[in-house]
Amino acid sequence: MADSPIAVQGTSHQVHNPALLHHFAQPEQQRNAASLGMWWFLATEVMFFGGLFCSYLVYRLLYYPEFAACAKTLDWRLGATNTAVLICSSLTVVLAVWAASMARRTLLVVCLIATIILGFVFLGIKGKEYHDKFVEHHVPGPTFSFEKVPIPGHPGEYANPQRAQIYFALYFIMTGLHAIHMIIGIGIFTYLLIMAWKSRYTPKYYTPIEIGGLYWHFVDIIWIYLFPLLYLIDLHK
Amino acid sequence: MAGHATSLKTYFTIWIALLIFTGLTVFAARIDLGVYNAAVALTIASVKATLVALFFMHIRGTSERLTKLVVVSALFFLFLLLGLSMSDYLTRAWH
Amino acid sequence: MSTVKAQVTERTNYLNADYGVRSWLLTTDHKRIALLYLISITFFFFIGGFYALLIRLELLTPAGDLVQADTYNKLFTMHGMVMVFFFLIPSIPAVLGNFLIPMMIGAKDLAFPRINLLSWYLYIIGGALMCHCMLTGGADTGWTFYVPFSAITNTKFVEAGLAIFVAGFSSILTGLNFVVTVHRMRAPGMTWSRLPLFVWAHYATSIIQLLGTPVIAITILLVAAERTLHLGIFDPKLGGDPLLFQHLFWFYSHPAVYIMILPAMGVISEVIACYARKRIFGYSFVAFSSIAIAVFGFLVWAHHMFVAGISLYSALVFSMLSYAVAVPSAVKVFNWTATLYKGSIHYDAPMLYAFGFIGLFTVGGLTGLFLAALGIDVHVTDTYFVVAHFHYIMVGGAVMGYLGGMHFWWPKISGKLYPEGWAKLAALIVFVGFNLTFFPQFILGYLGMPRRYWDYSHMPEFQVLNVASTAGATILGIGYLLPMVYFLWSLRYGDPAPDNPWNAAGLEWKTASPPPTFNFDSDPVVTWEAYNYDEIDAPHIQEAPVGR
Ligand code: HEM
Ligand SMILES: [Cu+2]
């Protein structure tokens, strides 16, 4: 943010607000632009994951029995724990935004740290799950093996390994892309933490926290859908 | 910009609700609802997503109509992608 | 607004405000970024054109004698990929849109200048990957890179896919910037009903870029995963469904054709209004038809898959929806024509391009309706009829619009006037060359010549029309080189341009040519309606009797 702020008559922004870029007339305009930009960006993310959800839907329709068999091999307890972890992190994010708007710097910093920790907890659990799949040879590719796995509710029938591989391909791509988004989110929040530590945010200017928060919540929402779609197929059978 | 102590209370309420819904969706998945299992799971997920969007992302109350329009259009186009693809897959005679 | 009539020679503007490579490569000025784009897309236009030349040369004779079959596959693949993703999609938005949108709405810059620069760098990275792909042998999948072939071909598809992936994000960022800019950066008084139609068209385009492009990105990722790990997502041998790829691909790529044509429509609206000296007939219809095109454009994609094995019911639905998308396009054509009615028409070079656009786009659009009819499509799909259809729109329409716009705004961009006589001549050559190239292809396709064949020696009767097409392509090539030459010439020898050489409406004409770095000397306030040509021309009518 190298550009020097220009004086704007009639608005309440302070001199120490270095974030007003030259081409905006007022801080509100800049804030609204940033927030709208983030919302549109999230819309593109919806479509990005949308292509995956579409593929998922197609193959779930075509190969439902295999999808159920594969989902059974995941540990829903870990999935549910991770859902809870992300929900907690969403709470800490929204508290961070609140703290910033209330000029509560300590609370802000604590919430940001908590968010980052929860992000790492999520990734750790995800890593454990990936590790299990790796050991079980459920990772698609040359080593993939899915022999004699029963189809839930159909005694004596076994899943077709090729179709099962499609499930796991989608599983790894969807959760993998989600995890990449988590990593990016942790990066963003680390940046926010540093800036908050340096007291860069005031109740008049905390747009980065707000839009970083939007991103984090969105990644949470994706997981809210991934969890039932990937883990909870025919659990009762 | 969100309000004051009341909003804090809201945040915690929503947080509890989200956790309860997570438990609920696991619970619902473990009982046999026939074809409705998937519907229930997706409904709960959508309720949770809506709660996050409305209260944590502040669509409710503080944001302008334009934000809602962006959200609605993203969902609309997602629906087009899924829906029109399904118009093919669900009406194929040969699979 | 300062309307200093006298031409002060040493006025600082965005071009001479700063010198040196750094001041260009690290610029955040939307006008400079537009010029960076102009240079880059021109480069790719010539590469794409070079491939086209080789294709046409091969088809001069029925025998496959100039190149091998494999080489020919690479030629049309690289031609399509370069032209679509590296020329046409960025062309008008990234050059003219970038340059003009902030000025047209009275802003100092786009909402996110650094993201704007980032999008150019992404384009360049994508372009470099594309060049790498071409230099190491190229891909042979066709620009549509259908699976399962693209998942197994041992040509350089990975590079090409990655290039398109990266360029896609460049396109997304441009769209993001435009949408936010139009919402947030309008000058006081610049209401939505006063926005130039060029801005409306770009707004609609940006929505497509934002909501369509991510889908092609994920599709490319899936193909890449399929290629490296043989997952079976798209491979029928492994239980996958290749049609899923086609659904995802065309979900983006049909709307993408509107990314290419909508901005051109925006240009045409500006040009027609100026040279007919009239407000566009039915302004709000034209504005909303852009939005309608953006939305309907997402409803028709499977018309590219009629014979690919989709369900017949689905095909019927998509056929009918394809007719619907023609309606807003037709609304535009009718409104432009109605604008001309009783206008005082000036046949300047940009207007000639606009006329060319209207005619050629209409032919392209109407043949699109032929193709959208299930029965006819079965006959002509995968023939030269399809090739002619989309070239009438993408070259006859979009490139005409691009050139028309480049002429119209060249004085603003460069501060120099181009030679009018040459420009008219070039417009004529382009029009004639274009029709000679592509009209025969309609007939060829109708008679049954398949597309993407390199050897047609078993049907030598097609040679006459192919020779005509190649001859036309040569003329067309000259028509494209000419503007290149006289634009460059004008930089040095052209007359300095006044601020508003065409007496045009619009904020961009109320600032200097070339504009200063932040576009306006003082912040503009808009108090007039769009295309107020009656007001602009009124004083002259009143002055005339006084002089007599
Ligand atoms: C007026 C509305 C339009 C309709 C109803 C329409 C219809 C069609 C149909 C049905 C096809 C598929 C033909 C086949 O493969 O058998 C097609 C192909 C194509 N159209 Fe259009 N079209 C329209 C406008 C456009 C526009 C505006 C553009 C570009 C700017 C465009 C570009 C293309 C391209 C690139 C292809 C061929 C893709 C390929 O297979 O390589 N069309 N069109
Ligand atoms: Cu199409």
Side-chain angles (χ1 to χ4, degrees):
Chain A
M1 318 221 169
D3 310 275
S4 59
I6 56 164
V8 177
Q9 351 72 301
T11 56
S12 50
H13 89 102
Q14 253 102 64
V15 187
H16 77 266
N17 181 353
L20 184 63
L21 298 171
H22 66 263
H23 59 292
F24 291 107
Q26 295 146 16
E28 285 88 271
Q29 189 188 25
Q30 180 173 346
R31 174 179 175 275
N32 289 340
S35 132
L36 183 62
M38 183 44 100
W39 277 104
W40 270 112
F41 176 74
L42 295 183
T44 71
E45 291 271 30
V46 168
M47 299 310 292
F48 189 68
F49 280 98
L52 289 174
F53 283 119
C54 184
S55 315
Y56 171 89
L57 187 58
V58 166
Y59 288 117
R60 178 170 163 148
L61 279 172
L62 292 178
Y63 305 140
Y64 187 77
E66 278 77 12
F67 268 48
C70 293
K72 269 266 160 72
T73 70
L74 299 178
D75 188 345
W76 65 264
R77 288 172 198 81
L78 292 180
T81 314
N82 252 349
T83 312
V85 168
L86 275 193
I87 287 173
C88 294
S89 76
S90 263
L91 177 72
T92 56
V93 167
V94 82
L95 291 181
V97 176
W98 183 84
S101 73
M102 295 283 141
R104 305 264 287 265
R105 177 173 167 275
T106 319
L107 181 61
L108 171 60
V109 168
V110 168
C111 284
L112 291 177
I113 294 177
T115 308
I116 294 170
I117 292 177
L118 287 168
F120 275 116
V121 170
F122 177 93
L123 289 176
I125 295 178
K126 199 76 234 160
K128 154 107 178 69
E129 289 187 86
Y130 279 2
H131 176 77
D132 292 349
K133 291 286 111 187
F134 188 76
V135 172
E136 293 165 38
H137 294 289
H138 286 173
V139 181
T143 60
F144 183 79
S145 140
F146 206 74
E147 300 306 324
K148 290 270 167 194
V149 178
I151 291 173
H154 295 266
E157 288 180 39
Y158 298 103
N160 172 330
Q162 277 183 353
R163 298 171 176 183
Q165 180 168 262
I166 294 182
Y167 170 90
F168 280 109
L170 288 170
Y171 167 82
F172 277 102
I173 295 175
M174 292 172 105
T175 57
L177 276 180
H178 178 265
I180 292 176
H181 278 77
M182 290 292 298
I183 294 170
I184 295 172
I186 291 176
I188 294 174
F189 271 71
T190 312
Y191 168 83
L192 294 177
L193 175 62
I194 295 170
M195 288 304 173
W197 188 262
K198 293 185 185 163
S199 301
R200 286 293 162 79
Y201 303 122
T202 66
K204 292 239 155 25
Y205 173 73
Y206 59 100
T207 317
I209 309 240
E210 274 188 310
I211 63 172
L214 288 179
Y215 174 86
W216 191 279
H217 293 308
F218 172 81
V219 178
D220 185 8
I221 288 180
I222 293 290
W223 182 261
I224 285 178
Y225 280 98
L226 288 182
F227 172 56
L229 289 181
L230 293 172
Y231 290 77
L232 302 182
I233 311 175
D234 277 358
L235 220 55
H236 53 86
K237 284 190 184 155
Chain B
M1 271 152 258
H4 307 288
T6 45
S7 62
L8 269 191
K9 217 174 98 193
T10 320
Y11 294 152
F12 281 98
T13 317
I14 297 298
W15 174 61
I16 302 283
L18 289 171
L19 290 177
I20 291 175
F21 276 122
T22 306
L24 195 64
T25 190
V26 174
F27 173 76
R30 293 171 65 78
I31 51 179
D32 190 352
L33 303 172
V35 288
Y36 295 109
N37 270 95
V40 169
L42 276 180
T43 310
I44 296 181
S46 301
V47 170
K48 287 162 74 183
T50 313
L51 289 179
V52 173
L54 285 184
F55 295 97
F56 285 180
M57 299 168 92
H58 299 126
I59 290 192
R60 211 186 94 113
T62 48
S63 73
E64 49 177 335
R65 284 221 329 267
L66 180 58
T67 320
K68 291 168 193 157
L69 192 69
V70 177
V71 176
V72 169
S73 51
L75 294 179
F76 175 70
F77 284 93
L78 176 65
F79 171 77
L80 286 182
L81 170 61
L82 301 178
L84 284 174
S85 301
M86 284 309 117
S87 84
D88 174 17
Y89 284 96
L90 294 180
T91 59
R92 276 191 206 169
W94 43 264
H95 68 246
Chain C
M1 267 130 288
S2 61
T3 38
V4 188
K5 280 278 150 55
Q7 202 63 43
V8 188
T9 30
E10 282 306 318
R11 244 187 328 191
T12 43
N13 56 51
Y14 79 103
L15 291 169
N16 64 15
D18 202 351
Y19 294 96
V21 179
R22 267 180 69 94
S23 78
W24 282 90
L25 293 185
L26 296 180
T27 182
T28 53
D29 182 346
H30 64 103
K31 299 181 287 304
R32 287 192 164 208
I33 296 173
L35 288 197
L36 292 177
Y37 264 116
L38 176 62
I39 295 165
S40 343
I41 68 162
T42 308
F43 173 74
F44 280 104
F45 183 64
F46 280 100
I47 295 190
F50 175 69
Y51 284 114
L53 179 76
L54 292 181
I55 292 172
R56 282 316 323 163
L57 279 181
E58 169 57 60
L59 295 178
L60 201 52
T61 58
D65 38 16
L66 181 67
V67 295
Q68 301 290 309
D70 291 348
T71 317
Y72 186 78
N73 290 346
K74 290 177 179 172
L75 291 183
F76 69 70
T77 300
M78 302 322 288
H79 167 70
M81 286 182 172
V82 166
M83 285 301 204
V84 169
F85 297 106
F86 290 91
F87 172 68
L88 213 46
I89 287 181
S91 62
I92 300 182
V95 178
L96 293 173
N98 233 335
F99 195 95
L100 294 165
I101 287 176
M103 263 187 273
M104 285 182 161
I105 65 173
K108 292 195 179 78
D109 205 323
L110 289 173
F112 309 119
R114 279 172 297 182
I115 289 185
N116 196 17
L117 182 65
L118 174 65
S119 100
W120 181 73
Y121 273 103
L122 286 176
Y123 172 87
I124 289 298
I125 295 172
L129 283 164
M130 204 65 196
C131 290
H132 175 69
C133 168
M134 292 185 283
L135 291 176
T136 53
D140 67 345
T141 56
W143 80 279
T144 48
F145 55 94
Y146 276 15
V147 293
F149 182 64
S150 59
I152 53 175
T153 174
N154 48 22
T155 55
K156 303 288 175 190
F157 174 69
V158 177
E159 286 83 345
L162 201 62
I164 296 169
F165 183 84
V166 177
F169 279 95
S170 157
S171 169
I172 290 178
L173 292 182
T174 306
L176 187 72
N177 231 329
F178 286 178
V179 169
V180 176
T181 304
V182 173
H183 273 291
R184 299 296 195 217
M185 311 293 286
R186 281 171 289 127
M190 179 50 88
T191 58
W192 285 86
S193 60
R194 286 173 176 170
L195 278 185
L197 291 165
F198 181 88
V199 178
W200 272 103
H202 275 79
Y203 183 82
T205 308
S206 305
I207 291 179
I208 306 178
Q209 287 174 307
L210 284 171
L211 296 172
T213 320
V215 178
I216 191 84
I218 196 73
T219 313
I220 293 173
L221 277 188
L222 287 175
V223 177
E226 174 81 55
R227 254 188 97 91
T228 36
L229 295 169
H230 306 290
L231 306 174
I233 296 188
F234 293 136
D235 187 348
K237 269 213 317 277
L238 300 175
D241 179 15
L243 279 192
L244 174 62
F245 168 88
Q246 296 186 23
H247 276 300
L248 295 175
F249 178 85
W250 288 114
F251 179 84
Y252 165 72
S253 292
H254 182 82
V257 305
Y258 290 103
I259 298 181
M260 303 177 228
I261 199 71
L262 268 170
M265 293 170 157
V267 170
I268 298 310
S269 296
E270 300 298 312
V271 170
I272 296 248
C274 176
Y275 293 105
R277 312 303 302 166
K278 270 178 74 185
R279 180 178 161 88
I280 287 282
F281 178 82
Y283 167 92
S284 45
F285 279 91
V286 181
F288 283 116
S289 66
S290 289
I291 308 292
I293 286 177
V295 176
F296 288 4
F298 279 97
L299 301 174
V300 302
W301 76 80
H303 65 210
H304 296 273
M305 303 162 63
F306 284 157
V307 299
I310 58 169
S311 120
L312 188 61
Y313 306 99
S314 183
L316 274 173
V317 171
F318 276 105
S319 173
M320 283 184 313
L321 289 170
S322 300
Y323 281 93
V325 77
V327 174
S329 311
V331 165
K332 282 188 192 287
V333 172
F334 289 136
N335 280 286
W336 290 323
T337 321
T339 309
L340 296 176
Y341 179 66
K342 288 196 172 166
S344 76
I345 298 174
H346 299 250
Y347 294 90
D348 292 26
M351 190 63 158
L352 296 186
Y353 282 105
F355 284 141
F357 175 98
I358 297 182
L360 301 179
F361 172 73
T362 304
V363 174
L366 288 179
T367 51
L369 293 181
F370 291 24
L371 293 167
L374 283 173
I376 301 182
D377 187 62
V378 172
H379 178 63
V380 292
T381 187
D382 273 328
T383 69
Y384 265 86
F385 193 89
V386 174
V387 176
H389 154 67
F390 66 74
H391 281 88
Y392 258 79
I393 295 182
M394 307 211 300
V395 182
V399 179
M400 278 279 196
Y402 173 66
L403 286 177
M406 281 307 294
H407 284 81
F408 190 56
W409 284 291
W410 183 252
K412 185 57 63 183
I413 295 173
S414 69
K416 294 294 167 69
L417 292 174
Y418 58 82
E420 179 66 29
W422 283 100
K424 280 187 183 146
L425 181 68
L428 205 68
I429 294 179
V430 168
F431 186 80
V432 172
F434 174 83
N435 281 297
L436 189 56
T437 313
F438 291 106
F439 198 80
Q441 298 187 2
F442 277 128
I443 306 172
L444 279 171
Y446 186 75
L447 294 177
M449 174 154 173
R451 67 192 282 200
R452 294 179 175 175
Y453 272 33
W454 112 111
D455 175 326
Y456 54 101
S457 33
H458 57 298
M459 32 195 175
E461 67 275 19
F462 289 152
Q463 190 177 12
V464 179
L465 289 168
N466 271 301
V467 169
S469 183
T470 302
T474 317
I475 298 175
L476 187 58
I478 295 169
Y480 287 149
L481 277 175
L482 262 183
M484 206 30 213
V485 173
Y486 60 71
F487 276 152
L488 286 176
W489 174 90
S490 77
L491 284 183
R492 213 186 151 96
Y493 304 104
D495 291 336
D499 291 354
N500 189 355
W502 324 125
N503 247 325
L507 267 178
E508 79 271 27
W509 299 108
K510 297 201 189 295
T511 184
S513 301
T517 301
F518 292 126
N519 296 343
F520 301 96
D521 293 333
S522 57
D523 294 348
V525 177
V526 182
T527 54
W528 57 90
E529 300 303 315
Y531 309 110
N532 54 342
Y533 282 104
D534 42 352
E535 282 166 41
I536 294 176
D537 292 343
H540 301 292
I541 300 165
Q542 280 165 3
E543 269 164 30
V546 178
R548 263 180 226 146

